[in-house]
Amino acid sequence: MRREARVLDLTLAVLHHILVFGLVAMLAIERTLLKAPEIETRRLAGLDGGYGLTAVLVLAVGVARAIWGGKGWAFYEANPFFWAKLAIFTVIGLISIPPTIAFIKWARASKADAGWQPDAAAVASARRWVGIELLLIFPLVACAAAMARWPF
C-alpha cells in the first residue's frame, strides 16, 4: 500500500474513532441530564442535535473507510460482523427517534413557558431509551473488534 493510502487509512480510522467516542459521550451526558431534578430542555435538545449530526458523520466516515480505507470494500462486503455492526447502528438510530422527538417538544414548550418541565413519566421514558442506546454500544463495539479481525 502506498504511503498516501496508509495515511488516508489512518486519518479515517482516527476520525471514525473520535466521532464514536463523541457519540458515546453525548449519550452519557444526555442520560445524566435526564436524571437532574430540573430538566434543561434546550440544552438537552441542542445536545441531541449534536448527537444526530455526529451520528451522520460517523456513518459518512465509516463509508469512506470501507471504500477508500486499507482493507477495501471487498473485505467489508463479505464480512458478517460489518453487517451486524451496521444493523446495530441502525437499531440505535431508530431507538433514538422517540427521545429526539420528546426533546424537541420539550424545548418548544419551555421556550413558550420558561418554567415548563416535562412530566416524570416522559422523562423516565426518554431516560430508558437513551439507556438502551448506551447498552447497544457494547455489542456494536464487539462487532467492530470482530470485524477487524475477521476471518478468524
Side-chain angles (χ1 to χ4, degrees), residues 56-126:
V56 169
L57 291 172
V58 165
L59 188 59
V61 172
V63 167
R65 256 184 108 185
I67 295 170
W68 297 300
K71 294 183 179 183
W73 176 247
F75 171 81
Y76 293 100
E77 182 180 34
N79 191 320
F81 295 103
F82 169 74
W83 296 107
K85 181 179 153 185
L86 276 181
I88 294 167
F89 190 80
T90 300
V91 168
I92 292 171
L94 292 172
I95 288 172
S96 76
I97 293 171
T100 295
I101 292 169
F103 300 157
I104 291 167
K105 286 180 180 178
W106 297 353
R108 287 181 183 157
S110 68
K111 187 175 182 181
D113 176 4
W116 184 89
Q117 283 287 295
D119 64 66
V123 172
S125 176

